[in-house]
Amino acid sequence: MGTMASRDGTNTTGWGQHVQNWLWAAPARHSSRQITEVLERIEWLIEIGVDRHPYGLNDVLVRRFARRLAARSPSVSAQIKEPARTAGLGGFLRYCLLTATDQLILMVQRRMAELWRQRPIV
């Protein structure tokens, strides 16, 4: 997936959507296309090393950082000073990885159950 800088300097996905919004968006269904999109998020987060970075924060703090960053617009998030910006972004990315893997497991389970119900009875 990857990101690219737009004219105003913000990071966007290939579809012109802010990475922050793309990562936070919840999947609508458990279709094959939605499963692929969640898998792309996970792969991108692993590609940038979110899974290898030890944050040393407990789950409550990671969730709080993630929700605070998700509640702000990307332009406001860019104005936050260091080190709060790095800690908030790290918590947000970690939480996105954890929730995306949970979503993927649930979506695959639901998709498998749906396919099992639709199988022809012989």
Side-chain angles (χ1 to χ4, degrees):
M1 173 69 218
T3 63
M4 58 185 145
S6 63
R7 289 184 184 171
D8 62 355
T10 58
N11 289 328
T12 58
T13 65
W15 301 287
Q17 184 181 21
H18 286 280
V19 173
Q20 175 182 330
N21 297 337
W22 175 68
L23 288 171
W24 194 254
R29 300 178 309 232
H30 53 274
S31 68
S32 298
R33 186 175 143 265
Q34 294 289 328
I35 290 171
T36 302
E37 288 180 12
V38 172
L39 192 55
E40 285 177 359
R41 290 180 200 167
I42 293 169
E43 288 172 346
W44 185 80
L45 288 165
I46 290 171
E47 183 180 308
I48 64 170
V50 174
D51 62 323
R52 295 183 305 269
H53 188 32
Y55 291 103
L57 300 174
N58 65 34
D59 293 343
V60 174
L61 285 174
V62 169
R63 187 179 307 117
R64 182 168 26 142
F65 281 134
R67 289 185 177 166
R68 286 173 58 191
L69 192 131
R72 293 190 292 260
S73 70
S75 61
V76 172
S77 296
Q79 297 173 1
I80 295 175
K81 305 290 183 213
E82 294 296 338
R85 181 177 175 179
T86 301
L89 182 60
F92 175 76
L93 293 174
R94 182 72 168 182
Y95 188 75
C96 287
L97 178 61
L98 296 174
T99 56
T101 53
D102 290 347
Q103 287 172 346
L104 182 65
I105 292 168
L106 182 62
M107 291 170 75
V108 168
Q109 287 175 339
R110 287 182 177 169
R111 183 69 176 145
M112 288 173 53
E114 179 183 304
L115 292 172
W116 181 257
R117 284 191 303 271
Q118 293 175 357
R119 78 186 188 291
I121 299 175
V122 185

